[in-house]
Coordinates of all heavy atoms in Angstrom, one line a residue:
M1 N 0.9 -1.2 0.0 CA 0.0 0.0 0.0 C 0.9 1.2 0.0 O 1.8 1.4 0.8 CB -0.9 0.0 1.2 CG -1.9 1.0 1.3 SD -3.2 0.7 0.2 CE -4.3 2.0 0.5
P2 N 0.7 2.1 -0.9 CA 1.5 3.3 -1.0 C 1.2 4.3 0.2 O 0.1 4.3 0.7 CB 1.2 4.0 -2.3 CG -0.2 3.6 -2.6 CD -0.3 2.2 -2.0
E3 N 2.1 5.1 0.5 CA 1.9 6.2 1.5 C 0.8 7.1 1.0 O 0.8 7.5 -0.2 CB 3.2 6.9 1.7 CG 3.1 8.0 2.8 CD 4.4 8.8 3.0 OE1 5.4 8.3 2.5 OE2 4.3 9.8 3.6
I4 N -0.1 7.5 1.8 CA -1.2 8.4 1.5 C -0.6 9.8 1.5 O -0.4 10.4 2.6 CB -2.4 8.2 2.4 CG1 -2.9 6.8 2.2 CG2 -3.5 9.3 2.0 CD1 -4.1 6.4 3.1
T5 N -0.5 10.4 0.4 CA 0.1 11.8 0.3 C -0.9 12.8 -0.3 O -0.7 14.0 -0.2 CB 1.4 11.8 -0.6 OG1 1.1 11.3 -1.9 CG2 2.4 10.9 0.1
T6 N -2.0 12.3 -0.9 CA -3.0 13.1 -1.6 C -3.9 13.7 -0.5 O -4.3 13.0 0.4 CB -3.7 12.4 -2.7 OG1 -2.8 11.8 -3.6 CG2 -4.7 13.2 -3.4
D7 N -4.4 14.9 -0.8 CA -5.4 15.5 0.1 C -6.6 14.7 0.3 O -7.1 14.2 -0.7 CB -5.8 16.9 -0.5 CG -6.8 17.6 0.3 OD1 -6.7 17.7 1.5 OD2 -7.8 18.1 -0.3
P8 N -7.1 14.4 1.5 CA -8.3 13.6 1.7 C -9.5 14.0 0.9 O -10.3 13.2 0.4 CB -8.5 13.6 3.2 CG -7.2 14.0 3.8 CD -6.5 14.8 2.8
M9 N -9.7 15.3 0.7 CA -10.8 15.8 -0.1 C -10.7 15.3 -1.5 O -11.7 14.9 -2.1 CB -10.9 17.3 0.0 CG -12.1 17.8 -0.7 SD -13.7 17.3 0.0 CE -13.8 18.6 1.2
L10 N -9.5 15.4 -2.1 CA -9.3 14.9 -3.4 C -9.5 13.4 -3.6 O -10.0 12.9 -4.6 CB -7.9 15.3 -3.9 CG -7.7 16.8 -4.3 CD1 -6.2 17.1 -4.6 CD2 -8.6 17.2 -5.4
L11 N -9.1 12.7 -2.5 CA -9.3 11.2 -2.5 C -10.8 10.9 -2.5 O -11.2 10.0 -3.2 CB -8.6 10.6 -1.3 CG -7.1 10.6 -1.4 CD1 -6.5 10.0 -0.1 CD2 -6.6 9.8 -2.6
G12 N -11.5 11.7 -1.8 CA -13.0 11.5 -1.7 C -13.6 11.8 -3.1 O -14.5 11.0 -3.5
V13 N -13.2 12.8 -3.7 CA -13.7 13.1 -5.0 C -13.3 12.0 -6.0 O -14.1 11.6 -6.9 CB -13.2 14.5 -5.5 CG1 -13.6 14.8 -7.0 CG2 -13.8 15.6 -4.6
T14 N -12.1 11.6 -5.9 CA -11.6 10.5 -6.8 C -12.4 9.2 -6.6 O -12.9 8.6 -7.6 CB -10.1 10.2 -6.5 OG1 -9.3 11.3 -6.7 CG2 -9.6 9.0 -7.3
A15 N -12.7 8.9 -5.4 CA -13.5 7.7 -5.1 C -14.9 7.8 -5.7 O -15.4 6.9 -6.3 CB -13.6 7.5 -3.6
L16 N -15.5 9.0 -5.5 CA -16.9 9.2 -6.0 C -16.9 9.2 -7.5 O -17.8 8.5 -8.1 CB -17.4 10.6 -5.5 CG -18.8 11.0 -6.1 CD1 -19.8 10.0 -5.6 CD2 -19.1 12.4 -5.7
L17 N -16.0 9.8 -8.2 CA -16.0 9.8 -9.7 C -15.7 8.4 -10.2 O -16.3 8.0 -11.2 CB -14.9 10.8 -10.2 CG -15.3 12.3 -9.9 CD1 -14.2 13.2 -10.4 CD2 -16.6 12.7 -10.6
A18 N -14.7 7.7 -9.6 CA -14.4 6.4 -10.0 C -15.6 5.4 -9.9 O -15.9 4.6 -10.7 CB -13.2 5.8 -9.3
Y19 N -16.3 5.6 -8.7 CA -17.5 4.8 -8.5 C -18.6 5.1 -9.6 O -19.2 4.2 -10.2 CB -18.1 5.1 -7.1 CG -19.3 4.3 -6.8 CD1 -19.2 3.0 -6.2 CD2 -20.6 4.8 -7.1 CE1 -20.4 2.3 -5.9 CE2 -21.7 4.0 -6.8 CZ -21.6 2.8 -6.2 OH -22.7 2.0 -6.0
L20 N -18.8 6.3 -9.9 CA -19.8 6.7 -10.9 C -19.4 6.2 -12.3 O -20.2 5.7 -13.0 CB -20.0 8.2 -10.9 CG -20.7 8.8 -9.7 CD1 -20.7 10.3 -9.7 CD2 -22.1 8.3 -9.5
F21 N -18.1 6.3 -12.6 CA -17.6 5.8 -13.9 C -17.8 4.3 -14.0 O -18.2 3.8 -15.0 CB -16.2 6.3 -14.1 CG -15.6 5.9 -15.5 CD1 -16.2 6.4 -16.6 CD2 -14.6 5.0 -15.6 CE1 -15.7 6.0 -17.9 CE2 -14.1 4.7 -16.8 CZ -14.7 5.2 -18.0
G22 N -17.5 3.6 -12.9 CA -17.6 2.2 -12.9 C -19.1 1.7 -13.0 O -19.3 0.6 -13.4
S23 N -20.0 2.6 -12.6 CA -21.4 2.2 -12.6 C -22.1 2.4 -14.0 O -23.3 2.1 -14.1 CB -22.2 2.9 -11.5 OG -22.2 4.3 -11.8
I24 N -21.4 2.9 -15.0 CA -22.0 3.1 -16.3 C -22.4 1.7 -16.9 O -21.5 0.9 -17.1 CB -21.1 3.8 -17.2 CG1 -20.8 5.2 -16.7 CG2 -21.7 3.9 -18.6 CD1 -19.7 6.0 -17.4
P25 N -23.7 1.4 -17.2 CA -24.0 0.1 -17.7 C -23.8 0.1 -19.3 O -24.8 0.3 -20.0 CB -25.5 0.0 -17.4 CG -26.0 1.5 -17.4 CD -24.8 2.3 -16.9
F26 N -22.6 -0.1 -19.7 CA -22.3 -0.1 -21.1 C -23.1 -1.0 -22.0 O -23.5 -0.7 -23.1 CB -20.8 -0.3 -21.4 CG -19.9 0.8 -21.0 CD1 -19.0 0.7 -19.9 CD2 -20.0 2.0 -21.6 CE1 -18.2 1.8 -19.5 CE2 -19.2 3.1 -21.3 CZ -18.3 3.0 -20.2
G27 N -23.5 -2.1 -21.4 CA -24.4 -3.0 -22.2 C -25.7 -2.4 -22.5 O -26.2 -2.5 -23.7
V28 N -26.3 -1.7 -21.6 CA -27.6 -1.0 -21.8 C -27.4 0.1 -22.8 O -28.2 0.3 -23.7 CB -28.2 -0.6 -20.5 CG1 -29.4 0.3 -20.7 CG2 -28.5 -1.7 -19.6
V29 N -26.3 0.9 -22.5 CA -26.1 2.1 -23.4 C -25.9 1.7 -24.8 O -26.5 2.3 -25.7 CB -24.9 2.9 -22.8 CG1 -24.4 4.0 -23.8 CG2 -25.1 3.4 -21.5
I30 N -25.1 0.7 -25.0 CA -24.7 0.2 -26.4 C -26.0 -0.3 -27.1 O -26.3 0.0 -28.3 CB -23.6 -0.7 -26.4 CG1 -22.3 0.0 -26.0 CG2 -23.4 -1.4 -27.8 CD1 -21.1 -0.8 -25.8
T31 N -26.7 -1.2 -26.5 CA -27.9 -1.8 -27.1 C -28.9 -0.8 -27.4 O -29.6 -0.9 -28.4 CB -28.5 -3.0 -26.3 OG1 -28.8 -2.5 -25.0 CG2 -27.5 -4.2 -26.2
R32 N -29.1 0.1 -26.5 CA -30.1 1.2 -26.7 C -29.6 2.1 -27.9 O -30.5 2.5 -28.8 CB -30.3 2.0 -25.5 CG -31.6 2.8 -25.5 CD -31.9 3.4 -24.2 NE -32.4 2.4 -23.3 CZ -32.6 2.6 -22.0 NH1 -32.3 3.8 -21.4 NH2 -33.2 1.7 -21.2
A33 N -28.4 2.4 -28.0 CA -27.9 3.3 -29.0 C -27.9 2.6 -30.4 O -28.1 3.3 -31.4 CB -26.4 3.7 -28.7
M34 N -27.8 1.3 -30.4 CA -27.9 0.5 -31.7 C -29.3 0.1 -32.0 O -29.5 -0.6 -33.0 CB -26.9 -0.6 -31.6 CG -25.5 -0.2 -31.5 SD -24.3 -1.6 -31.4 CE -24.2 -1.9 -33.2
G35 N -30.3 0.4 -31.2 CA -31.6 0.1 -31.5 C -31.9 -1.4 -31.3 O -32.8 -2.0 -32.0
L36 N -31.2 -2.1 -30.4 CA -31.4 -3.5 -30.2 C -32.4 -3.9 -29.2 O -32.6 -5.1 -28.8 CB -30.0 -4.2 -29.9 CG -28.9 -4.0 -30.9 CD1 -27.6 -4.5 -30.4 CD2 -29.3 -4.7 -32.2
G37 N -33.1 -2.9 -28.6 CA -34.1 -3.2 -27.6 C -33.6 -3.0 -26.2 O -32.4 -2.7 -26.0
D38 N -34.5 -3.3 -25.3 CA -34.1 -3.3 -23.8 C -33.4 -4.5 -23.4 O -34.0 -5.6 -23.4 CB -35.4 -3.1 -23.0 CG -35.0 -2.9 -21.5 OD1 -33.8 -2.8 -21.1 OD2 -36.0 -2.7 -20.7
L39 N -32.1 -4.4 -23.1 CA -31.3 -5.6 -22.8 C -31.8 -6.4 -21.6 O -31.7 -7.6 -21.6 CB -29.8 -5.1 -22.6 CG -28.8 -6.2 -22.4 CD1 -28.7 -7.1 -23.6 CD2 -27.5 -5.6 -22.1
R40 N -32.4 -5.7 -20.7 CA -33.0 -6.4 -19.5 C -34.2 -7.2 -19.8 O -34.6 -8.0 -19.0 CB -33.3 -5.3 -18.4 CG -32.0 -4.6 -18.0 CD -32.3 -3.4 -17.2 NE -32.8 -2.4 -18.2 CZ -32.8 -1.1 -17.9 NH1 -32.4 -0.6 -16.8 NH2 -33.2 -0.2 -18.8
Q41 N -34.7 -7.1 -21.0 CA -35.9 -8.0 -21.4 C -35.4 -9.1 -22.4 O -36.3 -9.8 -22.9 CB -36.9 -7.1 -22.1 CG -37.4 -5.9 -21.3 CD -38.1 -6.4 -20.0 OE1 -38.8 -7.4 -20.0 NE2 -37.8 -5.7 -18.9
I42 N -34.1 -9.2 -22.6 CA -33.6 -10.2 -23.5 C -32.8 -11.3 -22.8 O -32.1 -10.9 -21.8 CB -32.7 -9.5 -24.6 CG1 -33.5 -8.5 -25.4 CG2 -32.0 -10.6 -25.5 CD1 -32.6 -7.6 -26.2
G43 N -32.9 -12.5 -23.2 CA -32.1 -13.6 -22.6 C -32.2 -13.7 -21.1 O -33.3 -13.7 -20.5
S44 N -31.1 -13.6 -20.4 CA -31.1 -13.7 -18.9 C -31.5 -12.4 -18.2 O -31.7 -12.4 -17.0 CB -29.6 -14.1 -18.5 OG -28.7 -13.0 -18.8
G45 N -31.5 -11.3 -19.0 CA -31.8 -10.0 -18.3 C -30.6 -9.3 -17.8 O -30.7 -8.2 -17.3
N46 N -29.5 -10.0 -17.8 CA -28.2 -9.4 -17.4 C -27.8 -8.3 -18.4 O -28.1 -8.4 -19.5 CB -27.2 -10.5 -17.3 CG -25.9 -10.1 -16.5 OD1 -25.5 -8.9 -16.6 ND2 -25.4 -11.0 -15.7
I47 N -27.0 -7.3 -17.9 CA -26.6 -6.3 -18.8 C -25.2 -6.4 -19.3 O -24.6 -5.5 -19.8 CB -26.8 -4.9 -18.1 CG1 -25.9 -4.8 -16.8 CG2 -28.2 -4.6 -17.7 CD1 -25.8 -3.4 -16.2
G48 N -24.6 -7.6 -19.1 CA -23.2 -7.8 -19.5 C -23.1 -8.2 -21.0 O -24.1 -8.4 -21.7
A49 N -21.8 -8.5 -21.4 CA -21.5 -8.8 -22.8 C -22.1 -10.1 -23.3 O -22.5 -10.1 -24.5 CB -20.0 -8.8 -23.0
T50 N -22.2 -11.1 -22.4 CA -22.8 -12.3 -22.9 C -24.3 -12.2 -23.3 O -24.7 -12.7 -24.3 CB -22.7 -13.4 -21.8 OG1 -21.3 -13.6 -21.5 CG2 -23.3 -14.7 -22.2
N51 N -25.0 -11.4 -22.5 CA -26.4 -11.2 -22.9 C -26.5 -10.2 -24.1 O -27.4 -10.4 -24.9 CB -27.2 -10.6 -21.7 CG -28.6 -10.9 -21.8 OD1 -29.0 -12.0 -22.2 ND2 -29.5 -10.0 -21.4
V52 N -25.6 -9.3 -24.2 CA -25.6 -8.5 -25.4 C -25.4 -9.4 -26.7 O -26.0 -9.2 -27.7 CB -24.5 -7.4 -25.4 CG1 -24.4 -6.6 -26.7 CG2 -24.8 -6.4 -24.2
L53 N -24.5 -10.4 -26.5 CA -24.3 -11.3 -27.7 C -25.6 -12.0 -28.0 O -25.8 -12.4 -29.2 CB -23.2 -12.3 -27.3 CG -22.7 -13.3 -28.4 CD1 -22.2 -12.5 -29.6 CD2 -21.7 -14.2 -27.8
R54 N -26.5 -12.2 -27.1 CA -27.7 -12.9 -27.4 C -28.6 -12.1 -28.3 O -29.6 -12.6 -28.8 CB -28.5 -13.2 -26.1 CG -27.8 -14.4 -25.3 CD -28.6 -14.8 -24.1 NE -27.9 -15.8 -23.4 CZ -27.3 -15.6 -22.2 NH1 -27.4 -14.5 -21.5 NH2 -26.7 -16.6 -21.6
T55 N -28.3 -10.8 -28.4 CA -29.1 -10.0 -29.3 C -28.7 -10.3 -30.8 O -29.4 -9.8 -31.7 CB -28.9 -8.4 -29.1 OG1 -27.5 -8.1 -29.4 CG2 -29.2 -8.0 -27.7
G56 N -27.6 -11.0 -31.0 CA -27.2 -11.4 -32.3 C -26.2 -10.4 -32.9 O -25.7 -10.5 -34.0
N57 N -25.8 -9.4 -32.1 CA -24.9 -8.4 -32.6 C -23.5 -8.6 -32.0 O -23.3 -8.1 -30.8 CB -25.4 -7.0 -32.4 CG -24.7 -5.9 -33.1 OD1 -23.4 -5.9 -33.1 ND2 -25.4 -5.0 -33.7
K58 N -22.6 -9.2 -32.7 CA -21.2 -9.5 -32.1 C -20.4 -8.2 -31.9 O -19.7 -8.1 -30.9 CB -20.5 -10.4 -33.1 CG -21.0 -11.8 -33.1 CD -20.2 -12.6 -34.1 CE -20.9 -14.0 -34.2 NZ -20.2 -14.9 -35.2
G59 N -20.6 -7.2 -32.7 CA -19.9 -5.9 -32.5 C -20.3 -5.3 -31.2 O -19.5 -4.7 -30.5
A60 N -21.6 -5.3 -30.9 CA -22.1 -4.7 -29.7 C -21.6 -5.4 -28.5 O -21.3 -4.8 -27.5 CB -23.6 -4.6 -29.7
A61 N -21.6 -6.7 -28.6 CA -21.1 -7.6 -27.5 C -19.6 -7.3 -27.2 O -19.1 -7.1 -26.1 CB -21.3 -9.0 -27.8
L62 N -18.8 -7.2 -28.3 CA -17.4 -6.9 -28.2 C -17.2 -5.5 -27.6 O -16.3 -5.3 -26.7 CB -16.7 -7.0 -29.5 CG -15.2 -6.7 -29.5 CD1 -14.4 -7.7 -28.6 CD2 -14.6 -6.7 -30.9
A63 N -17.9 -4.5 -28.0 CA -17.8 -3.2 -27.5 C -18.1 -3.1 -26.0 O -17.5 -2.5 -25.2 CB -18.7 -2.2 -28.2
T64 N -19.2 -3.9 -25.6 CA -19.6 -4.0 -24.2 C -18.4 -4.6 -23.4 O -18.1 -4.1 -22.3 CB -20.9 -4.8 -24.0 OG1 -21.9 -4.1 -24.8 CG2 -21.3 -4.9 -22.6
L65 N -17.9 -5.7 -23.9 CA -16.8 -6.4 -23.2 C -15.6 -5.5 -23.0 O -15.1 -5.3 -21.9 CB -16.4 -7.6 -23.9 CG -15.3 -8.5 -23.3 CD1 -15.7 -9.0 -22.0 CD2 -14.9 -9.6 -24.3
V66 N -15.2 -4.8 -24.1 CA -14.0 -3.9 -24.0 C -14.2 -2.7 -23.1 O -13.4 -2.4 -22.3 CB -13.6 -3.5 -25.4 CG1 -12.6 -2.4 -25.4 CG2 -13.1 -4.6 -26.3
L67 N -15.4 -2.1 -23.2 CA -15.7 -0.9 -22.3 C -15.8 -1.3 -20.9 O -15.3 -0.6 -20.0 CB -16.9 -0.2 -22.8 CG -16.7 0.6 -24.1 CD1 -18.0 1.1 -24.7 CD2 -15.7 1.7 -23.9
D68 N -16.5 -2.5 -20.6 CA -16.6 -2.9 -19.2 C -15.2 -3.2 -18.6 O -14.9 -2.9 -17.5 CB -17.5 -4.2 -19.1 CG -18.9 -3.8 -19.1 OD1 -19.3 -2.6 -18.9 OD2 -19.8 -4.8 -19.2
A69 N -14.3 -3.8 -19.4 CA -13.0 -4.2 -18.9 C -12.1 -2.9 -18.8 O -11.3 -2.9 -17.9 CB -12.3 -5.2 -19.9
A70 N -12.3 -2.0 -19.7 CA -11.5 -0.8 -19.7 C -11.8 0.2 -18.6 O -11.0 1.1 -18.2 CB -11.5 -0.1 -21.0
M71 N -13.0 0.2 -18.1 CA -13.5 1.3 -17.2 C -12.6 1.4 -16.0 O -12.3 2.4 -15.5 CB -14.9 1.2 -16.9 CG -15.3 0.1 -15.9 SD -17.1 0.2 -15.4 CE -17.9 -0.3 -16.9
G72 N -12.2 0.2 -15.4 CA -11.3 0.3 -14.2 C -9.9 0.8 -14.6 O -9.4 1.6 -13.8
G73 N -9.4 0.3 -15.7 CA -8.1 0.8 -16.1 C -8.1 2.3 -16.4 O -7.1 3.0 -16.0
I74 N -9.1 2.8 -17.0 CA -9.2 4.2 -17.3 C -9.2 5.0 -16.0 O -8.5 6.0 -15.9 CB -10.4 4.5 -18.2 CG1 -10.1 4.0 -19.6 CG2 -10.6 6.0 -18.3 CD1 -11.3 4.0 -20.5
A75 N -10.0 4.6 -15.1 CA -10.1 5.2 -13.8 C -8.8 5.3 -13.0 O -8.3 6.3 -12.5 CB -11.2 4.6 -12.9
V76 N -8.1 4.1 -13.1 CA -6.8 4.0 -12.4 C -5.7 4.9 -13.1 O -5.0 5.6 -12.4 CB -6.3 2.5 -12.4 CG1 -4.8 2.4 -11.9 CG2 -7.2 1.7 -11.4
L77 N -5.6 4.8 -14.4 CA -4.6 5.6 -15.1 C -4.8 7.1 -15.0 O -3.9 7.8 -14.8 CB -4.6 5.2 -16.5 CG -4.0 3.7 -16.8 CD1 -4.2 3.4 -18.3 CD2 -2.6 3.6 -16.3
T78 N -6.1 7.5 -15.0 CA -6.4 8.9 -14.9 C -6.1 9.4 -13.5 O -5.4 10.5 -13.3 CB -7.9 9.2 -15.2 OG1 -8.2 8.7 -16.5 CG2 -8.2 10.6 -15.1
A79 N -6.4 8.6 -12.4 CA -6.1 9.0 -11.1 C -4.6 9.1 -10.8 O -4.1 10.0 -10.2 CB -6.8 8.1 -10.1
R80 N -3.9 8.1 -11.4 CA -2.5 8.1 -11.2 C -1.8 9.3 -11.9 O -0.9 9.9 -11.3 CB -1.9 6.8 -11.8 CG -0.4 6.7 -11.6 CD 0.2 5.3 -12.1 NE -0.3 4.3 -11.2 CZ -0.7 3.1 -11.6 NH1 -0.7 2.8 -12.9 NH2 -1.0 2.2 -10.7
W81 N -2.3 9.6 -13.1 CA -1.7 10.7 -13.8 C -2.0 12.0 -13.1 O -1.1 12.9 -13.0 CB -2.3 10.7 -15.2 CG -1.9 11.8 -16.1 CD1 -0.6 12.2 -16.5 CD2 -2.7 12.8 -16.7 NE1 -0.6 13.3 -17.3 CE2 -1.9 13.7 -17.4 CE3 -4.1 13.0 -16.7 CZ2 -2.5 14.8 -18.1 CZ3 -4.6 14.1 -17.4 CH2 -3.8 14.9 -18.1
L82 N -3.2 12.2 -12.6 CA -3.5 13.5 -12.0 C -3.1 13.6 -10.5 O -2.7 14.7 -10.1 CB -5.1 13.7 -12.0 CG -5.7 13.9 -13.4 CD1 -7.2 13.9 -13.3 CD2 -5.1 15.2 -14.0
L83 N -3.1 12.5 -9.8 CA -2.9 12.7 -8.3 C -1.8 11.8 -7.7 O -1.2 12.2 -6.8 CB -4.2 12.4 -7.6 CG -5.4 13.3 -7.9 CD1 -6.7 12.8 -7.3 CD2 -5.1 14.7 -7.5
G84 N -1.6 10.6 -8.2 CA -0.6 9.7 -7.7 C -1.1 8.3 -7.4 O -2.2 8.0 -7.7
E85 N -0.1 7.5 -6.9 CA -0.4 6.1 -6.7 C -1.5 5.8 -5.7 O -2.3 4.9 -5.8 CB 0.9 5.4 -6.3 CG 0.8 3.9 -6.3 CD 0.5 3.3 -7.6 OE1 0.9 3.8 -8.6 OE2 -0.2 2.2 -7.6
D86 N -1.6 6.6 -4.6 CA -2.6 6.4 -3.6 C -4.0 6.6 -4.2 O -4.9 5.8 -4.0 CB -2.4 7.2 -2.4 CG -2.2 8.7 -2.7 OD1 -2.1 9.1 -3.8 OD2 -2.3 9.5 -1.7
A87 N -4.2 7.6 -5.0 CA -5.4 7.9 -5.6 C -5.8 6.8 -6.7 O -6.9 6.4 -6.9 CB -5.4 9.2 -6.3
A88 N -4.7 6.3 -7.3 CA -4.9 5.3 -8.4 C -5.5 4.0 -7.7 O -6.4 3.4 -8.3 CB -3.6 5.0 -9.1
Q89 N -4.9 3.6 -6.6 CA -5.5 2.4 -6.0 C -6.9 2.6 -5.5 O -7.7 1.7 -5.6 CB -4.5 2.0 -4.8 CG -3.2 1.4 -5.3 CD -2.4 0.7 -4.3 OE1 -2.9 0.5 -3.2 NE2 -1.2 0.5 -4.6
L90 N -7.2 3.7 -5.0 CA -8.5 4.0 -4.5 C -9.5 4.0 -5.7 O -10.6 3.5 -5.6 CB -8.5 5.4 -3.8 CG -9.8 5.8 -3.1 CD1 -10.1 4.9 -1.9 CD2 -9.8 7.2 -2.7
A91 N -9.1 4.6 -6.8 CA -9.9 4.7 -8.0 C -10.2 3.3 -8.5 O -11.4 3.0 -8.9 CB -9.2 5.5 -9.1
G92 N -9.2 2.4 -8.5 CA -9.5 1.0 -9.0 C -10.5 0.3 -8.1 O -11.4 -0.4 -8.6
R93 N -10.4 0.5 -6.8 CA -11.3 -0.2 -5.9 C -12.7 0.3 -6.1 O -13.7 -0.4 -6.1 CB -10.8 0.1 -4.5 CG -11.6 -0.6 -3.4 CD -11.0 -0.6 -2.0 NE -9.8 -1.4 -2.0 CZ -8.6 -1.0 -1.7 NH1 -8.4 0.2 -1.3 NH2 -7.6 -1.8 -1.7
F94 N -12.9 1.6 -6.2 CA -14.2 2.2 -6.3 C -14.8 2.0 -7.7 O -16.0 1.9 -7.8 CB -14.2 3.7 -5.9 CG -14.3 3.8 -4.4 CD1 -13.2 3.7 -3.6 CD2 -15.6 4.0 -3.8 CE1 -13.3 3.8 -2.2 CE2 -15.7 4.1 -2.4 CZ -14.6 4.0 -1.6
A95 N -14.0 1.9 -8.7 CA -14.5 1.6 -10.1 C -15.1 0.2 -10.1 O -16.1 -0.1 -10.6 CB -13.5 1.8 -11.1
F96 N -14.4 -0.7 -9.4 CA -14.8 -2.1 -9.2 C -16.2 -2.1 -8.5 O -17.1 -2.8 -8.9 CB -13.8 -2.9 -8.6 CG -14.3 -4.3 -8.2 CD1 -14.4 -5.3 -9.1 CD2 -14.6 -4.6 -6.9 CE1 -14.9 -6.5 -8.8 CE2 -15.0 -5.9 -6.5 CZ -15.2 -6.8 -7.5
L97 N -16.2 -1.4 -7.4 CA -17.5 -1.4 -6.6 C -18.6 -0.8 -7.4 O -19.7 -1.3 -7.3 CB -17.2 -0.6 -5.3 CG -16.3 -1.3 -4.2 CD1 -16.1 -0.4 -3.1 CD2 -16.9 -2.6 -3.8
G98 N -18.4 0.2 -8.1 CA -19.4 0.8 -9.0 C -19.9 -0.2 -10.0 O -21.1 -0.2 -10.4
H99 N -19.0 -1.0 -10.5 CA -19.4 -2.0 -11.6 C -20.2 -3.1 -11.0 O -21.0 -3.7 -11.7 CB -18.1 -2.6 -12.2 CG -18.4 -3.4 -13.4 ND1 -18.9 -2.9 -14.6 CD2 -18.2 -4.8 -13.6 CE1 -19.0 -3.9 -15.4 NE2 -18.7 -5.0 -14.8
L100 N -20.1 -3.4 -9.7 CA -20.9 -4.4 -9.1 C -22.4 -4.0 -9.1 O -23.3 -4.8 -9.1 CB -20.5 -4.7 -7.7 CG -19.1 -5.3 -7.5 CD1 -18.8 -5.5 -6.0 CD2 -19.0 -6.6 -8.2

């Protein structure tokens, strides 16, 4: 665990923004944008890439998979670039929690 050197207020903002970014339902966003219907009414009702694939659109499923996987990395890299290692670890944890 790195030494905490970032201002606690900035860490709180980082945690909140990472959580919100992690909670973006890319499966729902992509299927709605492509006119594939309400993903929660298709197949298992899950909003993940496997259920997006059940719509028959492989491109939408791949985009969902890539964006879901990348959201944590983007949060971590952005926090590390702007604030440091302590914020990066916090951002990763909260992006994961938001994705749940």
Side-chain angles (χ1 to χ4, degrees):
M1 185 75 175
E3 181 181 348
I4 298 175
T5 58
T6 305
D7 177 46
M9 182 66 84
L10 287 175
L11 289 176
V13 170
T14 299
L16 176 65
L17 292 175
Y19 181 88
L20 292 174
F21 185 61
S23 68
I24 297 171
F26 285 113
V28 173
V29 171
I30 290 170
T31 54
R32 199 171 279 171
M34 297 181 83
L36 300 174
D38 185 3
L39 186 59
R40 294 166 287 198
Q41 303 298 320
I42 299 169
S44 67
N46 194 320
I47 62 171
T50 301
N51 206 38
V52 174
L53 186 59
R54 290 186 181 111
T55 66
N57 192 315
K58 292 179 183 178
L62 179 63
T64 300
L65 179 66
V66 168
L67 289 170
D68 277 349
M71 74 173 70
I74 292 169
V76 168
L77 292 174
T78 303
R80 181 176 290 141
W81 176 60
L82 293 173
L83 299 172
E85 189 62 32
D86 54 348
Q89 288 191 14
L90 187 69
R93 182 170 292 126
F94 276 85
F96 171 74
L97 290 174
H99 188 68
L100 294 179

